[in-house]
Amino acid sequence: MSAPRSTSRILEARGREQAAVFARLLAALAFARGVLRLDFATRQQAQQARARLVAVMEPLLDRAATETELLTVVVGTYGQALAAIDAEILSLKPLARVVTGQSQPACLLAWQLYGDTTRAAELVRLNNARCPEFMPVEILAPLPDDAA
């Protein structure tokens, strides 16, 4: 496509470019604020969300640097979101992959792993099991409280 020849078309093209950048910034800010409301079940989920946040926000910081007020908002929101995710990562236990060799009920697995059958619902939820009586042969489970 050839470059626009008139001044009005050049300004129009710049305006469209600025509008696109502004739309990406707004979407990134909405994503960062949305992260503040998320609850993560596992440390791995929180780490994945942090990586997505960094991938979305880092490229936009250069774009926001041209306007002081916008940069203040972007950096503040980005910092709050990172701090919230980092606190969540530190508070969550990592998951372990458990291979049983045969399908077992969630209550039995919870008892074998934690000595607590009430944690069966947690295992069912983490593994998206349809029937708690027949858990998959390979499951994800939070590390026990006494694990180092």
Side-chain angles (χ1 to χ4, degrees), residues 32-139:
R33 290 195 187 267
V35 166
L36 296 172
R37 292 188 293 267
L38 291 176
D39 289 325
F40 301 102
T42 66
R43 181 180 290 176
Q44 286 88 339
Q45 287 176 347
Q47 289 170 330
Q48 289 170 355
R50 187 184 197 287
R52 282 193 309 270
L53 178 68
V54 169
V56 167
M57 293 299 289
E58 288 292 329
L60 296 176
L61 288 176
D62 290 336
R63 298 285 188 158
T66 58
E67 294 189 32
T68 308
E69 292 176 7
L70 184 59
L71 183 62
T72 303
V73 171
V74 171
V75 169
T77 304
Y78 184 34
Q80 287 176 347
L82 280 180
I85 288 179
D86 288 343
E88 191 77 17
I89 287 171
L90 292 174
S91 71
L92 292 169
K93 289 184 172 273
L95 291 180
R97 187 169 307 280
V98 178
V99 180
T100 60
Q102 65 182 9
S103 181
Q104 297 180 1
C107 287
L108 177 61
L109 290 171
W111 178 257
Q112 291 171 339
L113 293 171
Y114 310 114
D116 181 7
T117 57
T118 61
R119 294 190 67 181
E122 179 181 6
L123 293 175
V124 170
R125 181 181 49 80
L126 279 173
N127 292 283
N128 296 323
R130 293 179 186 225
C131 179
E133 295 304 316
F134 300 100
M135 293 293 288
V137 175
E138 186 174 309
I139 65 167

